[in-house]
Amino acid sequence: MDETTQASFDTVMAFMGAMGGGDMEAMSALMADDMVWHNEGDSTLPWIGESKGKEAIFEFLGVFSANLQTTKWENTDAFTSGDTVAVFGIMNGITPHSGQEIGEFTFALRAKVRDGQVVLWHWFEDSFAVSQAYHGRS
């Protein structure tokens, strides 16, 4: 693995670790000022869409954490090439909106790194399962 590829992988894994540990200071240090966070999925969920810049992303994270309590986050595969990192895994959570558990669902992430900071966090999840639980339909 070349230096750029390894550095990109290390940055994304450090960002994930900081997020999982609730370390907002470390997250902020690993975020580019112009970072874009984009969540694909059901637009009726309050955390789906795009946030640009640190302030907007931290606002988004507040909305996300108020609406989805993660009970499982397991990375199963990760691949890196140059500045791009792809991570796949399994999650579970509870949606306080309905009080329902989602059940295990898959996720995929495409992240990009520039100068040791994350510039793109493009998240894909099984939006149907999450939406069903959020709206109390599962």
Side-chain angles (χ1 to χ4, degrees), residues 21-131:
D23 187 344
M24 298 300 148
E25 188 174 313
M27 280 182 67
S28 182
L30 291 165
M31 296 167 71
D33 290 337
D34 60 344
M35 179 178 168
V36 173
W37 186 306
H38 187 87
N39 279 14
E40 296 286 344
D42 179 354
S43 63
T44 67
L45 300 174
W47 62 88
I48 299 299
E50 189 167 281
S51 301
K52 296 178 181 178
K54 288 183 182 184
E55 185 176 332
I57 290 169
F58 280 118
E59 279 181 35
F60 151 79
L61 288 171
V63 170
F64 175 79
S65 65
N67 285 284
L68 185 100
Q69 295 173 351
T70 302
T71 58
K72 179 178 186 173
W73 180 353
E74 180 182 321
N75 296 338
T76 56
D77 295 291
F79 305 92
T80 310
S81 180
D83 68 349
T84 304
V85 180
V87 180
F88 305 90
I90 300 167
M91 291 183 70
N92 197 347
I94 297 169
T95 58
H97 182 75
S98 69
Q100 289 190 356
E101 182 177 349
I102 298 163
E104 284 192 0
F105 62 97
T106 57
F107 73 84
L109 165 70
R110 178 176 65 102
K112 289 204 170 270
V113 175
R114 180 185 67 225
D115 299 326
Q117 294 182 309
V118 178
V119 293
L120 175 67
W121 195 266
H122 196 168
W123 187 262
F124 304 85
E125 63 189 30
D126 181 352
S127 168
F128 182 76
V130 176
S131 178

